[in-house]
Amino acid sequence: ELFNKGELFYSRRIAGSPSFSPNLNNHEEVIESPSKVKLLNAMKVSGRTEKGLGIGLFNAITEKAKATIKNTETGEIRQEEIDPATHFNVLVLDQRFNDNSSVSLVNTNVMRNGSYRDANVTGLYWDITNKKNTYNYYGNLEGSWVIDGKTKFGTEALGGFAKVSGKHRLQSSVYLRTKDYNINDLGYTGR
């Protein structure tokens, strides 16, 4: 449940298909290319303290993937990198209080070896219900940094209020997303 906070972590992003296709010159063909990236190591540690603080740590490392390419005229064989060695990291801190309220901080980070795209996303989330369980205040503030030659920063924010009990209930919220918001290196944008 800790790694689902903010929906910034989508585990299928790790050790999937290679990120790139080989660049072929004239008279070249691919003779071998991996369909999946090899996962070298993955570790997940999570738990909750007696005072309600949930802590989650995740780290995974994938191996560099290479395609083997043959020149059909000369017979020369070369290799080309189609996915760099990559580190995937997730940190989640989730403090529960007042029976059904929480404040969470989530950070995801993807670091690729070499001059490839790197990404970092940090989110702050709150879901606070009063002691009588009649009103709920919720929201999030997220920032994404994608470094791919130049840095692009994007944000997403949500703030809302709801009356959650009684005969008449209501909810109101405001949502904002900038054009450069991008969590797709380790997360998933479904809308």
Side-chain angles (χ1 to χ4, degrees), residues 11-133:
S11 63
R12 292 187 180 189
R13 294 279 185 224
I14 300 166
S17 300
S19 302
F20 307 100
S21 297
N23 294 315
L24 297 176
N25 299 320
N26 291 336
H27 309 292
E28 285 189 331
E29 66 181 4
V30 176
I31 58 173
E32 187 178 341
S33 182
S35 60
K36 295 281 184 196
V37 176
K38 185 176 179 182
L39 180 65
L40 294 177
N41 184 34
M43 172 194 76
K44 178 177 86 168
V45 177
S46 63
R48 195 168 290 279
T49 67
E50 289 179 14
K51 296 194 179 206
L53 176 63
I55 302 169
L57 298 168
F58 176 85
N59 176 270
I61 301 169
T62 59
E63 186 176 54
K64 179 189 325 183
K66 292 183 177 183
T68 305
I69 300 165
K70 180 180 180 180
N71 185 310
T72 56
E73 287 187 341
T74 65
E76 181 184 342
I77 293 180
R78 69 178 178 91
Q79 289 194 322
E80 183 176 319
E81 187 174 298
I82 56 173
D83 203 86
T86 307
H87 278 225
F88 300 89
N89 300 290
V90 181
L91 168 68
V92 180
L93 301 172
D94 174 57
Q95 180 63 58
R96 288 189 179 168
F97 56 95
N98 292 348
D99 294 329
N100 57 356
S101 296
S102 69
V103 174
S104 306
L105 177 72
V106 179
N107 178 265
T108 65
N109 181 272
V110 178
M111 296 183 310
R112 294 177 175 92
N113 192 27
S115 59
Y116 293 95
R117 169 187 170 122
D118 294 328
N120 190 60
V121 179
T122 300
L124 177 64
Y125 308 90
W126 58 93
D127 185 8
I128 301 170
T129 304
N130 66 342
K131 287 194 179 203
K132 292 183 180 180
N133 209 24

Side-chain angles (χ1 to χ4, degrees), residues 102 124-128 136-141 157-161 174:
S102 69
L124 177 64
Y125 308 90
W126 58 93
D127 185 8
I128 301 170
N136 177 252
Y137 309 90
Y138 58 91
N140 65 275
L141 180 59
L158 169 72
F161 163 82
V174 176

Side-chain angles (χ1 to χ4, degrees), residues 166-185:
K167 185 175 181 180
H168 301 287
R169 299 175 188 204
L170 64 94
Q171 179 174 348
S172 178
S173 63
V174 176
Y175 175 76
L176 163 78
R177 179 184 283 176
T178 62
K179 68 176 183 142
D180 288 331
Y181 178 74
N182 187 336
I183 64 169
N184 287 327
D185 287 87

